[in-house]
Amino acid sequence: MTKEDVRTYFLAKRGATVETPFREPVPVFKVGGKMFGLMNIHEEDRQSINLKYPKEKMGEIRSLFKEVQPGYHMAKDHWNTVYLDGDLDDNFIKELIDISYNLVFQSLTKKAQKQLNEAE
């Protein structure tokens, strides 16, 4: 999956926005003002994204896939860095994006969730 494919998939999520809040031009994807993903630029020769993942399953996914590492410059118990240049299937990467998005969406207030659902 290319970075452009990932960007398109991020932005196709209901209510998703993109910002560059850091000094470095790192695209940060948010829903309801909360981050659910970002595209890394720390390794020029490797493409990766950071995604949230359920804390209780973090060790399992990291042990199963070498492309899933502790989140670069993120809270390691909530975020993973997912490398796009390995053996991960595109649909699996999309599933990881969906998980991250859903975790953040579900953390929004019921009012914010309703507003995003109605905006569609």
Side-chain angles (χ1 to χ4, degrees), residues 53-60 77:
Y53 200 72
K55 186 176 181 175
E56 64 278 0
K57 297 179 180 180
M58 203 60 84
E60 179 183 357
D77 56 344

Side-chain angles (χ1 to χ4, degrees), residues 1 5-18 28-38 49 51 90-106 108 113 115-117 119-120:
M1 196 166 195
D5 293 337
V6 168
R7 181 184 181 83
T8 299
Y9 195 74
F10 274 140
L11 291 173
K13 307 306 264 171
R14 180 180 50 239
T17 60
V18 63
V28 174
F29 299 87
K30 296 182 175 185
V31 61
K34 293 185 176 188
M35 180 170 60
F36 71 92
L38 64 81
I49 55 178
L51 300 170
D90 288 0
N91 287 327
F92 184 66
I93 294 170
K94 288 178 180 179
E95 183 180 325
L96 294 175
I97 293 169
D98 292 345
I99 290 168
S100 185
Y101 174 86
N102 289 332
L103 283 170
V104 174
F105 185 85
Q106 291 169 3
L108 300 175
Q113 290 179 21
Q115 288 172 337
L116 288 169
N117 284 329
E120 204 160 285

Side-chain angles (χ1 to χ4, degrees), residues 79-95:
W79 291 89
N80 285 319
T81 294
V82 178
Y83 288 94
L84 304 176
D85 60 355
D87 294 329
L88 296 181
D89 178 81
D90 288 0
N91 287 327
F92 184 66
I93 294 170
K94 288 178 180 179
E95 183 180 325

